[in-house]
Amino acid sequence: MTARSILCALAAAVTLAGAGTARADCADQPQAEVVWRRCTFDGRDLSGAVLDKANVRDSAFVRARLNGASLTDADGYRAKFVSADMTGVKLDRARLIEADFTRATMTGASLRDADLRNAKLTGADLSGADLTGARLSGSDFRHANVSGATWTDGKTVCGENSVGQCN
């Protein structure tokens, strides 16, 4: 086999390996079902964006503004929302396993039936949030403000000065 035929065979194999593989385009406009996997949106203003059923796995939204945004049914596995403004965000039924919400402002957020297993919520402000039906096993709520939040049972409302746990 000649060097040229080896190169042609290698090029064909690489082309076939990539065939049918959807790639995230981090420049895509915010919209429902967008695929923003492993993208960085640090400091970006996505206020009011509708990102329902979006794939934002392993993406970073550090210091981003997502207030009033909707990520219903989104997949945010290991996404980073560190110090993000998520006031009034809708994360119902979102898959947020191992997501990082350290110091995020999530006042009035809706997290109904969200999967937050092993999520990091250290120092987050979840005052007035709705956590009805949320899965929280292994989540870190150290220094998180949950005052006035509706807890997972849908009945318990956390008392004032509830920090780190619902009192």
Side-chain angles (χ1 to χ4, degrees):
M1 192 179 258
T2 67
R4 182 170 185 220
S5 60
I6 292 172
L7 286 175
C8 287
L10 183 59
V14 170
T15 301
L16 288 175
T21 304
R23 295 187 56 109
D25 187 350
C26 300
D28 285 349
Q29 291 299 308
Q31 61 187 351
E33 299 184 34
V34 69
V35 177
W36 279 346
R37 191 167 180 182
R38 294 187 184 110
C39 296
T40 302
F41 299 102
D42 295 352
R44 186 157 171 197
D45 188 356
L46 295 165
S47 300
V50 176
L51 300 167
D52 298 338
K53 296 182 181 178
N55 182 339
V56 295
R57 292 173 64 104
D58 298 304
S59 291
F61 297 88
V62 177
R63 291 179 306 284
R65 290 178 298 285
L66 291 153
N67 47 315
S70 179
L71 287 103
T72 298
D73 296 309
D75 184 356
Y77 176 74
R78 288 190 178 165
K80 294 185 181 2
F81 299 95
V82 176
S83 299
D85 179 0
M86 302 178 78
T87 304
V89 72
K90 189 171 183 180
L91 295 163
D92 297 345
R93 296 177 309 280
R95 184 174 185 261
L96 299 161
I97 300 167
E98 296 183 22
D100 189 349
F101 296 95
T102 300
R103 294 181 309 280
T105 302
M106 302 173 75
T107 55
S110 181
L111 296 129
R112 295 177 69 91
D113 299 311
D115 191 345
L116 293 158
R117 289 176 292 161
N118 300 312
K120 189 173 183 180
L121 295 135
T122 307
D125 185 354
L126 290 148
S127 55
D130 185 355
L131 294 158
T132 302
R135 297 174 70 184
L136 303 176
S137 62
S139 294
D140 184 354
F141 280 88
R142 274 180 297 149
H143 309 292
N145 179 5
V146 291
S147 301
T150 302
W151 205 243
T152 59
D153 62 5
K155 298 175 186 170
T156 304
V157 176
C158 305
E160 289 302 311
N161 301 317
S162 289
V163 176
Q165 64 184 8
C166 184
N167 298 321

